[in-house]
Amino acid sequence: MNCAISGEVPEEPVVSTKSGLLYEKRLIERHISDYGKCPVTGEPHTIDEIVPIKTGKIVKPKPLHTASIPGLLGTFQTEWDSLILSNFSLEQQLHTARQELSHALYQHDAACRVIARLKKERDESRQLLAETERQLPAALEVPTANATLSNGKRAIDDGDQGPDAKKMRLGILAEVITELTDCNAALSQQRKKRQIPKTLASIDTLEKFTQLSSHPLHKTNKPGIFSMDILHSKDVIATGGIDTTAVLFDRPSGQILSTLTGHSKKVTSIKFVGDTDLVLTASSDKTVRIWGSSEDGNYACRHTLKDHSAEVRAVTVHATNKYFVSASLDSTWCFYDLSSGLCLAQVTDDSEKVDYTAAAFHPDGLILGTGTAQCIVKIWDVKSQANVAKFGGHTGEITSVSFSENGYFLATAALDGVRLWDLRKLKNFRTFDFPNANSVEFDHSGSYLGIAASDIRVFQTASVKAEWNPIKTLPDLSGTGKATCVKFGLDSNYIAVGSMDRNLRIFGLPSDDNTEDSAQDS
């Protein structure tokens, strides 16, 4: 049955109760709403006078063009084109969804990083607040008369400084000076009875030294070991890197014990505090940090000291293991109480402005040696903070200073080479022409001297007039041509070397030779 208007089979058939004719519902409703009469008979008609008819699903007959093969191919082509366009649209939507998901994940990761940084800053702020609360009562007890010191030995008074003034200093009190003096007397007495240990490596042994191992301790993107120290009692080596971290390395096991993170720039100096679990680090970020081991074996920062206004180049520990000194490019060196992290004195020399690049305590503890960027070596009396001697002669920045255990000799390394000084006569008695010398170090017995420059040289120490004979030249195997630090192990049984790559290198006696020497000794 066909619609009386269109002549096609209706999808929604309705019948007129007045005329009995069949219509397509949408067509008849539109006609009645426009004209108000039957389209066939012309009689008045209303929508209420049409009745829907229930039928089965109507399948429209195929159009004429599908009755032939070319027509079917055309239909298939049209449907294929529609399918391809639909698939392309879906792929575009998928790509957009992936981009939006990637952006959302990036925002989530950035938010996590910001949260982690804020938590870290919060913890540092809490720690700084706790340190301030602990130090404040001591600072308030400082008498006014203690704020000034004659002869230009101390930095200017806190009251004369602006809002960014340094903290008030207690000064090195009489009790501390007494403690330093007693330590000096005890160590001087022991030195008179000092004997070279029988277990010290011999010259023949040092001549056979070769590289035993190489350990990549620091990051590859910022290679370079800038400083080093050895805890002989536990055979642990500490290294400070350009990658802003310090690493504690157990040499016998070849394992990293802990990585100290917290500095924002390179670690310029690192020192163990005697046989304790404390470690000191200085950095180009103008801070000094005191680290201590925790229950889980890792090291945590106990104090962050911000008394300097420029890069801190060196830290050195007093023989009492209760005090230490930091030296900075801000023309001052600071004397600290180790337990509280309190700066007792910040010392400068008003007679000339120099930037301190190296520092070391004399073995007896009452003399401090400092190197400067202005090629001068200064010797200080710790008790009075007075500059008691000054050595000139270098033409390059001082990079390292080291006192011999005998208390008589001072070795200084600079960009123009290494010089040896006699502290009794205050004069230079020997010079080694090693350009760009980065480190100089006496071994603990005072029998050997190590120099790190383009390679590593080991010398036998002697008297002022005798010749200091070279024992061994160790090549810089880093390929950088710059060895930055050298340290002797216990009894000089090995030498640790840091360079401008990320590897710590250990030089010593090969195991075969070591076995033969042991057999000969027995």
Side-chain angles (χ1 to χ4, degrees):
M1 298 176 67
N2 297 333
C3 174
I5 298 176
S6 64
E8 296 181 354
V9 178
E11 294 181 358
E12 294 184 73
V14 294
V15 66
S16 171
T17 58
K18 183 176 284 188
S19 64
L21 296 173
L22 184 69
Y23 298 99
E24 176 69 52
K25 181 178 180 180
R26 59 185 174 78
L27 296 178
I28 188 62
E29 286 181 349
R30 182 179 297 176
H31 190 277
I32 292 174
S33 63
D34 292 343
Y35 301 104
K37 60 182 180 180
C38 178
V40 177
T41 62
E43 297 177 356
H45 211 297
T46 64
I47 294 179
D48 295 335
E49 293 176 335
I50 59 175
V51 178
I53 300 175
K54 294 182 179 180
T55 62
K57 185 176 180 181
I58 299 174
V59 179
K60 292 184 179 181
K62 294 181 180 181
L64 185 62
H65 66 271
T66 61
S68 63
I69 292 178
L72 287 172
L73 291 176
T75 301
F76 293 155
Q77 183 66 49
T78 302
E79 292 180 356
W80 172 258
D81 293 342
S82 298
L83 180 62
I84 293 300
L85 291 174
S86 176
N87 186 60
F88 177 74
S89 177
L90 290 175
E91 287 181 349
Q92 282 187 321
Q93 293 176 5
L94 176 61
H95 180 67
T96 302
R98 284 178 173 173
Q99 285 183 326
E100 292 176 352
L101 178 60
S102 176
H103 184 66
L105 291 174
Y106 176 78
Q107 287 182 324
H108 177 268
D109 182 64
C112 290
R113 290 176 181 270
V114 171
I115 292 172
R117 179 175 58 82
L118 291 176
K119 285 183 177 180
K120 180 180 178 181
E121 292 178 354
R122 179 201 64 188
D123 295 340
E124 290 180 349
S125 299
R126 287 177 175 175
Q127 183 181 359
L128 182 61
L129 179 61
E131 292 177 4
T132 304
E133 290 176 347
R134 184 175 60 254
Q135 295 174 6
L136 186 60
L140 293 176
E141 296 174 1
V142 180
T144 305
N146 211 21
T148 59
L149 204 87
S150 60
N151 300 326
K153 305 302 187 301
R154 289 282 305 279
I156 58 176
D157 299 344
D158 295 329
D160 296 335
Q161 300 179 14
D164 298 330
K166 297 182 177 69
K167 298 177 182 178
M168 186 178 293
R169 309 302 178 198
L170 289 170
I172 302 179
L173 303 179
E175 310 89 82
V176 177
I177 293 177
T178 300
E179 190 174 5
L180 301 182
T181 305
D182 292 343
C183 178
N184 170 265
L187 293 176
S188 298
Q189 195 67 27
Q190 292 176 12
R191 181 166 291 104
K192 295 178 181 179
K193 303 176 182 178
R194 183 179 66 92
Q195 294 181 351
I196 302 299
K198 296 180 180 180
T199 54
L200 182 71
S202 65
I203 295 177
D204 292 339
T205 299
L206 266 67
E207 290 176 344
K208 299 177 182 178
F209 273 16
T210 185
Q211 178 173 309
L212 301 180
S213 58
S214 176
H215 309 278
L217 303 185
H218 292 269
K219 298 177 183 177
T220 56
N221 58 343
K222 291 183 178 180
I225 296 176
F226 210 77
S227 55
M228 184 194 309
D229 197 19
I230 299 178
L231 180 58
H232 291 131
S233 61
K234 298 180 180 179
D235 208 355
V236 175
I237 302 174
T239 61
I242 294 179
D243 61 358
T244 74
T245 66
V247 177
L248 302 185
F249 175 75
D250 182 62
R251 190 191 68 87
S253 65
Q255 299 296 317
I256 294 177
L257 299 180
S258 184
T259 299
L260 314 184
T261 58
H263 286 294
S264 59
K265 294 183 179 180
K266 67 182 178 183
V267 178
T268 56
S269 182
I270 187 167
K271 290 291 181 183
F272 285 106
V273 181
D275 289 333
T276 68
D277 62 347
L278 297 179
V279 178
L280 304 178
T281 57
S283 171
S284 296
D285 63 8
K286 308 176 187 178
T287 67
V288 175
R289 288 178 179 254
I290 303 175
W291 306 82
S293 63
S294 53
E295 295 179 355
D296 59 0
N298 292 320
Y299 276 68
C301 181
R302 296 186 179 179
H303 300 285
T304 300
L305 312 177
K306 301 180 180 180
D307 298 284
H308 290 291
S309 59
E311 176 179 336
V312 185
R313 280 291 188 88
V315 287
T316 179
V317 182
H318 189 267
T320 59
N321 295 325
K322 295 181 179 180
Y323 309 99
F324 72 94
V325 162
S326 64
S328 170
L329 296 182
D330 66 359
S331 302
T332 68
W333 56 266
C334 292
F335 185 91
Y336 287 95
D337 175 70
L338 191 57
S339 60
S340 65
L342 186 64
C343 179
L344 302 181
Q346 189 164 14
V347 183
T348 187
D349 188 352
D350 293 336
S351 63
E352 59 180 338
K353 178 178 173 57
V354 291
D355 303 325
Y356 297 108
T357 56
F361 271 112
H362 186 274
D364 291 344
L366 288 184
I367 294 176
L368 176 71
T370 58
T372 68
Q374 288 72 27
C375 318
I376 299 172
V377 180
K378 290 193 171 188
I379 306 298
W380 301 81
D381 177 11
V382 178
K383 292 189 296 182
S384 63
Q385 300 98 62
N387 180 207
V388 295
K390 184 167 63 174
F391 299 146
H394 280 293
T395 59
E397 176 182 305
I398 310 298
T399 56
S400 176
V401 296
S402 178
F403 287 96
S404 172
E405 183 61 25
N406 64 16
Y408 301 143
F409 300 147
L410 170 67
T412 57
L415 298 182
D416 63 325
V418 174
R419 288 175 178 261
L420 300 178
W421 309 86
D422 185 353
L423 298 177
R424 295 165 294 185
K425 297 183 179 180
L426 301 180
K427 68 176 184 178
N428 170 231
F429 67 90
R430 195 166 305 281
T431 299
F432 299 107
D433 294 325
F434 299 133
N436 298 317
N438 298 302
S439 178
V440 62
E441 183 76 15
F442 284 102
D443 78 312
H444 187 66
S445 69
S447 302
Y448 304 119
L449 176 71
I451 300 173
S454 58
D455 53 20
I456 301 92
R457 307 288 180 96
V458 181
F459 289 84
Q460 180 186 11
T461 61
S463 64
V464 172
K465 296 182 179 180
E467 189 69 25
W468 290 49
N469 297 317
I471 299 174
K472 182 69 175 180
T473 299
L474 303 172
D476 174 32
L477 300 177
S478 67
T480 61
K482 186 176 182 181
T484 55
C485 43
V486 57
K487 290 285 182 180
F488 290 91
L490 180 63
D491 293 332
S492 301
N493 286 319
Y494 68 88
I495 297 176
V497 175
S499 303
M500 286 306 292
D501 64 349
R502 68 193 190 111
N503 294 315
L504 167 68
R505 290 179 169 80
I506 306 298
F507 292 84
L509 192 65
S511 56
D512 293 341
D513 293 337
N514 199 7
T515 304
E516 292 176 3
D517 290 349
S518 300
Q520 291 174 2
D521 293 341
S522 59

